[in-house]
Amino acid sequence: MNYVTYGGVTIGLCLLAHQLFTWWPGRKALTKDPARHAATLLPFLLSWSYGCLTTLGVGGLIGTASSAVLGISNWLGDAALVWGVGGNVGQLAARGTFLPLTGPGVAIVLVLTVAVVVSAKKSSRGGDIKRGAWCGITLGTSAGIAGFAAVPLAQAANWLGGTVYGAL
């Protein structure tokens, strides 16, 4: 089972802060053309959603990679909290509700994995895509920060998988 520590959530929040601060175009530019500026956040948000989905009990190589990223993030964040600011570490509460992915939902995660890997390699927004997936993995496991998104994301993946694979 995936779990997240204070350090892991801190890493996720740092990734989110980095993305938002580097994206921020300024109030005047944002009010002048909000749709164009909001669209530049889309690769990050979509890959963030993918990262959250990979923490929902996906097994195999994808689940192992997601768990490894979460474990490394937990360790790095905990080390930064203890040695960087003299804080304490501990495990956060996991999501209260857990909605597992169905067979077709897991198939959709595999399709999304291909899309994310190819997009990260070929797109000019590859850094945003990688950061978004990493941020989704670290924050998608926590209950208080982004765990609320896990249930709708799992429902959407299960529905899409059921629709696509049910029509075949």
Side-chain angles (χ1 to χ4, degrees):
M1 173 106 190
N2 292 335
Y3 68 92
V4 67
T5 65
Y6 291 116
V9 170
T10 302
I11 293 291
L13 290 173
C14 287
L15 291 166
L16 181 61
H18 175 271
Q19 186 67 30
L20 291 176
F21 284 114
T22 58
W23 164 79
W24 182 250
R27 187 189 59 81
K28 188 174 184 178
L30 190 59
T31 56
K32 186 175 182 179
D33 193 3
R36 183 176 66 84
H37 292 295
T40 60
L41 275 179
L42 199 55
F44 178 84
L45 293 175
L46 291 174
S47 61
W48 181 89
S49 299
Y50 165 77
C52 285
L53 277 174
T54 64
T55 64
L56 295 177
V58 175
L61 291 175
I62 296 169
T64 302
S66 177
S67 292
V69 167
L70 183 59
I72 291 169
S73 299
N74 285 339
W75 184 85
L76 287 172
D78 288 346
L81 287 175
V82 170
W83 296 327
V85 294
N88 293 325
V89 297
Q91 183 176 334
L92 289 175
R95 285 186 301 273
T97 57
F98 179 75
L99 180 67
L101 293 170
T102 61
V106 172
I108 293 298
V109 172
L110 179 59
V111 171
L112 291 174
T113 299
V114 171
V116 167
V117 169
V118 170
S119 297
K121 286 184 173 248
K122 299 289 184 179
S123 173
S124 62
R125 309 290 293 189
D128 295 342
I129 294 167
K130 293 173 192 172
R131 236 182 335 276
W134 187 8
C135 185
I137 289 169
T138 58
L139 296 181
T141 310
S142 68
I145 298 191
F148 68 90
V151 171
L153 287 172
Q155 288 175 338
N158 289 339
W159 171 82
L160 183 60
T163 302
V164 169
Y165 290 100
L168 296 178

